[in-house]
């Protein structure tokens, strides 16, 4: 049987585009941004920087396809960051909070 739409990741066929899109979202979700992605988005920045300065720097540097990374930077606590390790620590705090919220 020939299908009009084929998943580029696994080759499964679908008769409707909406079913293909739903399949991709549920079976092949995009990985969440990592600390390495965040570090790459902020590479070259001179610390110390406030959260707002981090957001402005990243907004100029990253592409629109990396909007999740910018959203992650926007979700950082509102404080001054001394270095990349401070940013990574804050990211860990955010992930712990989200994990607790999700399991509650």
């Amino acid at each position: 049987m020939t299908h009009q739409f084929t998943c580029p990741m696994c080759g499964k066929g679908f008769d409707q585009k909406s079913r293909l899109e739903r399949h991709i979202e549920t079976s092949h979700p995009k990985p969440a941004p990592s600390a390495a992605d965040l570090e790459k988005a902020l590479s070259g920045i001179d610390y110390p920087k406030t959260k707002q300065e981090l957001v402005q720097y990243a907004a100029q540097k990253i592409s629109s396809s990396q909007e999740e990374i910018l959203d992650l930077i926007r979700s950082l606590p509102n404080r001054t960051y001394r270095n990349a390790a401070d940013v990574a620590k804050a990211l860990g705090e955010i992930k712990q909070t989200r994990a607790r919220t999700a399991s509650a």
Side-chain angles (χ1 to χ4, degrees):
M1 180 176 187
T2 306
H3 297 282
Q4 187 175 359
F5 303 97
T6 304
C7 176
M9 278 74 116
C10 68
K12 188 172 180 180
F14 298 89
D15 294 325
Q16 297 175 351
K17 185 176 180 181
S18 62
R19 290 188 182 204
L20 168 63
E21 290 168 346
R22 188 173 338 129
H23 163 79
I24 290 173
E25 287 177 18
T26 58
S27 298
H28 310 291
K30 289 191 276 184
S34 67
D37 295 326
L38 190 60
E39 188 175 326
K40 184 177 177 183
L42 296 173
S43 67
I45 195 169
D46 291 323
Y47 291 94
K49 292 288 187 238
T50 64
K51 170 189 164 181
Q52 189 56 37
E53 290 171 318
L54 295 177
V55 170
Q56 289 172 348
Y57 182 85
Q60 293 173 0
K61 187 171 182 195
I62 64 176
S63 67
S64 60
S65 66
Q66 297 172 306
E67 193 67 30
E68 289 177 340
I69 295 170
L70 191 55
D71 288 343
L72 186 59
I73 296 169
R74 286 183 181 121
S75 72
L76 291 171
N78 195 11
R79 61 185 181 223
T80 299
Y81 296 87
R82 296 177 308 226
N83 51 39
D86 271 358
V87 175
K89 183 179 175 186
L91 176 61
E93 293 167 5
I94 291 169
K95 287 184 177 182
Q96 284 179 347
T97 301
R98 288 181 181 170
R100 279 194 300 263
T101 304
S103 64

